[in-house]
């Protein structure tokens, strides 16, 4: 019995939805809060998988976009908690008037919109300047890490405006509801679940469209794509901004459930960990991005509780094992195992291949400057 790629995606989506909806019946409030946080990470990893697994852009600075989205929502929560007065950290820093750029965050809707637009705007500036100058590979990864260093240094240094190393915390209510109430936490969890499912469907649809085929073609042979008439810069900037927007959305859901955001959560180490989540789950697999975020963070929590002195070594060993023995990640390895036994036969154009294909079905050239008469 063989299973097609489409049927497998439907089955996995249904199973994933059932597990997430049923989780509150089996988990304590603390564990459910952790799962909600991990699912928020999964939204980020899906966007990261689109730019790395599908387009070949390795970003080591996505913690910045995650943090910017979280800070935008945290600023609104802090203003609400201050009840019309200056936030406490501003008073301690000698600031006697609310800065002008804090004013738009009085509105929850405004904060949510800015949580998406601000990361996308930063990503557009970095992406356009680098991709336009054909900077890619290791050089782009280094630039993305430089963005992390600059952003973290700025947020730590401007303590009077950002809360410094302590970040923003002590939130009481959101939309008039107490964030400490179990009902509010449960509602935020279910909102996160439906956002994850919506993001999953959107990313799967995007990967299956003509745009998705172009992204894969750019990853495998960017010069060839350019020669047949497409402009890779446009597509790379778009998908990079789209990924940054998903990271900002993940930051919003994270801070609502975690109750704190600080520069440490948008630093170099978290940014690299995000890439590892995608690698462990399976590069170029949207489902793998979700599994990687949830499984890796669950393992991290479990090991840190059971072996507080040894868990970093255990986690490091797990990463090494995956890189050496499971280079395709969890999902990629499972697909390979099922294919060898005839259980699963993916379509030729249903997923990005490991090696550059000679042709891309459905991706005909718009203009071919090399065509001979």
């Amino acid at each position: 019995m063989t299973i097609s790629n489409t049927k497998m995606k439907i089955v996995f989506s249904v199973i994933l939805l059932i597990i997430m909806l049923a989780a509150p019946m089996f988990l304590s409030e603390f564990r459910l809060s952790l799962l909600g946080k991990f699912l928020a990470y999964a939204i980020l990893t899906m966007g990261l998988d689109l730019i790395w697994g599908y387009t070949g852009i390795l970003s080591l600075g996505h913690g910045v976009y995650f943090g910017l989205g979280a800070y935008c929502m945290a600023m609104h929560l802090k203003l609400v908690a201050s009840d019309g007065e200056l936030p406490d950290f501003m008073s301690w820093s000698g600031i006697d008037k609310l800065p002008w750029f804090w004013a738009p965050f009085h509105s929850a809707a405004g904060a949510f919109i800015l949580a998406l637009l601000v990361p996308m705007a930063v990503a557009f500036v970095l992406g356009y300047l680098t991709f336009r100058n054909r900077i890619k590979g290791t050089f782009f990864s280094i630039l993305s890490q430089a963005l992390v260093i600059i952003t973290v240094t700025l947020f730590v240094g401007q303590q009077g405006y950002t809360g410094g190393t302590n970040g923003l915390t002590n939130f009481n209510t959101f939309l008039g509801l107490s964030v400490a109430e179990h009902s509010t936490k449960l509602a935020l969890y279910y909102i996160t679940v439906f956002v994850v499912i919506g993001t999953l469907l959107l990313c799967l649809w995007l990967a299956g469209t003509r745009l998705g085929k172009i992204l894969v073609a750019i990853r495998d042979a960017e010069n060839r794509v350019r020669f047949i008439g497409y402009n890779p810069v446009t597509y790379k900037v778009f998908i990079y901004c789209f990924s940054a927007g998903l990271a900002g959305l993940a930051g919003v859901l994270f801070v609502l459930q975690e109750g704190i955001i600080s520069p440490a959560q948008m630093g170099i180490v978290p940014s690299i960990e995000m890439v590892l989540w995608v690698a462990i789950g399976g590069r170029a697999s949207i489902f793998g991005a979700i599994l990687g975020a949830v499984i890796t963070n669950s393992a991290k929590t479990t090991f840190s509780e059971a072996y507080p002195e040894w868990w970093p070594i255990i986690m490091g060993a797990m990463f090494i094992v995956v890189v050496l023995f499971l280079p395709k990640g969890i999902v990629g390895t499972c697909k390979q195992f099922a294919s060898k036994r005839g259980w699963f036969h993916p379509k030729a154009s249903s997923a990005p291949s490991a090696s550059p294909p000679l042709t891309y079905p459905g991706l005909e050239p718009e203009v071919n400057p090399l065509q001979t008469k």
Side-chain angles (χ1 to χ4, degrees), residues 69 72-73 76 104-105 107-117 248-249 252-253:
C72 287
M73 181 53 65
H76 166 72
F105 298 98
S107 167
F112 177 77
I113 294 173
L114 288 172
L116 301 180
L117 294 182
L249 177 60
V252 170
L253 295 171

Side-chain angles (χ1 to χ4, degrees), residues 141 182 186 225 234 256 348 365:
S141 300
H182 175 70
L186 188 62
V225 173
T234 303
L256 288 173

Side-chain angles (χ1 to χ4, degrees), residues 27 208 244 254-255 306:
L27 299 179
F254 171 85
V255 78

Side-chain angles (χ1 to χ4, degrees), residues 25 84 137 175-176 182 187 281 331 350 356:
M25 295 187 291
L175 298 178
H182 175 70
V331 172
S350 60

Side-chain angles (χ1 to χ4, degrees), residues 54 79 93 136 192 260 262 271 300 351 358:
Y54 283 80
L79 289 174
S93 301
K136 57 183 179 179
T192 304
I260 184 174
S262 68
S271 297
K300 182 178 179 179
L358 296 177

Side-chain angles (χ1 to χ4, degrees), residues 3 16 20 35 55-56 65 159 164 240 245 296 329 334-335 351 369-370:
I3 303 176
L16 184 65
M20 291 190 295
L35 180 57
T55 319
Y65 307 128
Q159 181 173 343
Y240 189 58
T296 307
C334 291
K335 282 185 177 181
L370 301 181

Side-chain angles (χ1 to χ4, degrees), residues 236-358:
K236 292 170 73 172
V237 170
F238 168 79
I239 201 64
Y240 189 58
C241 292
F242 179 79
S243 177
L246 289 183
L249 177 60
V252 170
L253 295 171
F254 171 85
V255 78
L256 288 173
Q257 297 177 90
E258 184 72 1
I260 184 174
I261 183 64
S262 68
Q265 293 165 302
M266 55 194 297
I268 291 179
V269 173
S271 297
I272 295 177
E273 285 184 345
M274 293 168 185
V275 175
L276 291 175
W277 301 340
V278 177
I280 290 175
R283 181 183 170 189
S285 170
I286 305 300
F287 288 101
I290 299 176
L291 292 178
V294 175
I295 291 176
T296 307
N297 283 283
S298 298
K300 182 178 179 179
T301 301
T302 302
F303 292 146
S304 63
E305 292 175 350
Y307 310 100
E309 296 181 357
W310 292 93
W311 74 266
I313 298 177
I314 297 175
M315 290 297 296
M318 186 177 74
F319 292 146
I320 293 174
V321 168
V322 169
V323 171
L324 293 180
F325 301 103
L326 302 174
K328 295 184 178 181
I330 297 173
V331 172
T333 303
C334 291
K335 282 185 177 181
Q336 187 178 31
F337 179 83
S339 297
K340 287 182 178 180
R341 280 154 182 76
W343 300 342
F344 168 65
H345 288 295
K347 296 179 181 179
S349 61
S350 60
S353 57
S355 59
L358 296 177

